[in-house]
PDB file of all heavy atoms in Angstrom:
ATOM      1  N   SER A  52       1.939  15.809   7.760  1.00  0.00           N
ATOM      2  CA  SER A  52       2.632  16.720   6.837  1.00  0.00           C
ATOM      3  C   SER A  52       1.972  18.099   6.785  1.00  0.00           C
ATOM      4  O   SER A  52       2.606  19.086   6.441  1.00  0.00           O
ATOM      5  CB  SER A  52       2.660  16.131   5.432  1.00  0.00           C
ATOM      6  OG  SER A  52       3.378  14.917   5.404  1.00  0.00           O
ATOM      7  N   ILE A  53       0.670  18.126   7.074  1.00  0.00           N
ATOM      8  CA  ILE A  53      -0.107  19.367   6.963  1.00  0.00           C
ATOM      9  C   ILE A  53      -0.999  19.542   8.205  1.00  0.00           C
ATOM     10  O   ILE A  53      -1.626  18.579   8.659  1.00  0.00           O
ATOM     11  CB  ILE A  53      -1.010  19.336   5.699  1.00  0.00           C
ATOM     12  CG1 ILE A  53      -0.189  19.226   4.433  1.00  0.00           C
ATOM     13  CG2 ILE A  53      -1.923  20.560   5.674  1.00  0.00           C
ATOM     14  CD1 ILE A  53       0.425  20.502   3.948  1.00  0.00           C
ATOM     15  N   LEU A  54      -1.035  20.759   8.714  1.00  0.00           N
ATOM     16  CA  LEU A  54      -2.017  21.158   9.728  1.00  0.00           C
ATOM     17  C   LEU A  54      -2.917  22.208   9.080  1.00  0.00           C
ATOM     18  O   LEU A  54      -2.442  23.251   8.632  1.00  0.00           O
ATOM     19  CB  LEU A  54      -1.317  21.736  10.959  1.00  0.00           C
ATOM     20  CG  LEU A  54      -2.223  22.518  11.943  1.00  0.00           C
ATOM     21  CD1 LEU A  54      -3.318  21.630  12.500  1.00  0.00           C
ATOM     22  CD2 LEU A  54      -1.374  23.137  13.058  1.00  0.00           C
ATOM     23  N   ILE A  55      -4.213  21.919   9.029  1.00  0.00           N
ATOM     24  CA  ILE A  55      -5.194  22.879   8.550  1.00  0.00           C
ATOM     25  C   ILE A  55      -5.916  23.412   9.779  1.00  0.00           C
ATOM     26  O   ILE A  55      -6.561  22.651  10.498  1.00  0.00           O
ATOM     27  CB  ILE A  55      -6.190  22.249   7.553  1.00  0.00           C
ATOM     28  CG1 ILE A  55      -5.434  21.686   6.338  1.00  0.00           C
ATOM     29  CG2 ILE A  55      -7.229  23.262   7.110  1.00  0.00           C
ATOM     30  CD1 ILE A  55      -6.310  20.955   5.343  1.00  0.00           C
ATOM     31  N   MET A  56      -5.803  24.700  10.028  1.00  0.00           N
ATOM     32  CA  MET A  56      -6.153  25.241  11.334  1.00  0.00           C
ATOM     33  C   MET A  56      -6.946  26.537  11.241  1.00  0.00           C
ATOM     34  O   MET A  56      -6.619  27.448  10.480  1.00  0.00           O
ATOM     35  CB  MET A  56      -4.843  25.514  12.082  1.00  0.00           C
ATOM     36  CG  MET A  56      -4.985  26.178  13.433  1.00  0.00           C
ATOM     37  SD  MET A  56      -3.355  26.566  14.156  1.00  0.00           S
ATOM     38  CE  MET A  56      -2.798  27.875  13.039  1.00  0.00           C
ATOM     39  N   ASP A  57      -8.024  26.589  12.028  1.00  0.00           N
ATOM     40  CA  ASP A  57      -8.775  27.836  12.190  1.00  0.00           C
ATOM     41  C   ASP A  57      -7.936  28.830  12.996  1.00  0.00           C
ATOM     42  O   ASP A  57      -7.168  28.438  13.876  1.00  0.00           O
ATOM     43  CB  ASP A  57     -10.087  27.532  12.901  1.00  0.00           C
ATOM     44  CG  ASP A  57     -11.016  28.741  12.943  1.00  0.00           C
ATOM     45  OD1 ASP A  57     -10.757  29.717  12.234  1.00  0.00           O
ATOM     46  OD2 ASP A  57     -12.014  28.690  13.685  1.00  0.00           O
ATOM     47  N   ILE A  58      -8.093  30.103  12.696  1.00  0.00           N
ATOM     48  CA  ILE A  58      -7.349  31.139  13.439  1.00  0.00           C
ATOM     49  C   ILE A  58      -8.033  31.444  14.781  1.00  0.00           C
ATOM     50  O   ILE A  58      -7.361  31.653  15.786  1.00  0.00           O
ATOM     51  CB  ILE A  58      -7.218  32.428  12.598  1.00  0.00           C
ATOM     52  CG1 ILE A  58      -6.359  32.159  11.372  1.00  0.00           C
ATOM     53  CG2 ILE A  58      -6.607  33.548  13.423  1.00  0.00           C
ATOM     54  CD1 ILE A  58      -4.975  31.669  11.674  1.00  0.00           C
ATOM     55  N   ARG A  59      -9.366  31.435  14.787  1.00  0.00           N
ATOM     56  CA  ARG A  59     -10.095  31.744  16.012  1.00  0.00           C
ATOM     57  C   ARG A  59     -10.521  30.455  16.691  1.00  0.00           C
ATOM     58  O   ARG A  59     -11.432  29.770  16.233  1.00  0.00           O
ATOM     59  CB  ARG A  59     -11.320  32.599  15.687  1.00  0.00           C
ATOM     60  CG  ARG A  59     -11.028  33.828  14.859  1.00  0.00           C
ATOM     61  CD  ARG A  59     -10.198  34.843  15.587  1.00  0.00           C
ATOM     62  NE  ARG A  59     -10.017  36.057  14.816  1.00  0.00           N
ATOM     63  CZ  ARG A  59      -9.165  37.032  15.135  1.00  0.00           C
ATOM     64  NH1 ARG A  59      -8.420  36.920  16.196  1.00  0.00           N
ATOM     65  NH2 ARG A  59      -9.058  38.105  14.362  1.00  0.00           N
ATOM     66  N   MET A  60      -9.842  30.099  17.790  1.00  0.00           N
ATOM     67  CA  MET A  60     -10.188  28.912  18.566  1.00  0.00           C
ATOM     68  C   MET A  60     -10.119  29.239  20.043  1.00  0.00           C
ATOM     69  O   MET A  60      -9.403  30.153  20.456  1.00  0.00           O
ATOM     70  CB  MET A  60      -9.231  27.755  18.245  1.00  0.00           C
ATOM     71  CG  MET A  60      -9.320  27.221  16.838  1.00  0.00           C
ATOM     72  SD  MET A  60      -8.269  25.754  16.577  1.00  0.00           S
ATOM     73  CE  MET A  60      -6.622  26.484  16.716  1.00  0.00           C
ATOM     74  N   PRO A  61     -10.859  28.500  20.896  1.00  0.00           N
ATOM     75  CA  PRO A  61     -10.825  28.776  22.340  1.00  0.00           C
ATOM     76  C   PRO A  61      -9.517  28.321  22.996  1.00  0.00           C
ATOM     77  O   PRO A  61      -8.776  27.528  22.415  1.00  0.00           O
ATOM     78  CB  PRO A  61     -12.008  27.970  22.866  1.00  0.00           C
ATOM     79  CG  PRO A  61     -12.185  26.849  21.887  1.00  0.00           C
ATOM     80  CD  PRO A  61     -11.817  27.446  20.541  1.00  0.00           C
ATOM     81  N   TYR A  62      -9.268  28.843  24.155  1.00  0.00           N
ATOM     82  CA  TYR A  62      -8.113  28.500  25.000  1.00  0.00           C
ATOM     83  C   TYR A  62      -6.792  28.976  24.388  1.00  0.00           C
ATOM     84  O   TYR A  62      -6.142  29.860  24.897  1.00  0.00           O
ATOM     85  CB  TYR A  62      -8.064  26.990  25.313  1.00  0.00           C
ATOM     86  CG  TYR A  62      -9.368  26.472  25.883  1.00  0.00           C
ATOM     87  CD1 TYR A  62     -10.117  25.535  25.199  1.00  0.00           C
ATOM     88  CD2 TYR A  62      -9.861  26.964  27.105  1.00  0.00           C
ATOM     89  CE1 TYR A  62     -11.326  25.063  25.715  1.00  0.00           C
ATOM     90  CE2 TYR A  62     -11.056  26.505  27.627  1.00  0.00           C
ATOM     91  CZ  TYR A  62     -11.783  25.558  26.926  1.00  0.00           C
ATOM     92  OH  TYR A  62     -12.968  25.116  27.426  1.00  0.00           O
TER      93      TYR A  62
END
Side-chain angles (χ1 to χ4, degrees):
S52 298
I53 298 281
L54 165 61
I55 300 177
M56 175 185 69
D57 188 12
I58 295 301
R59 308 293 185 191
M60 294 185 292
Y62 307 116

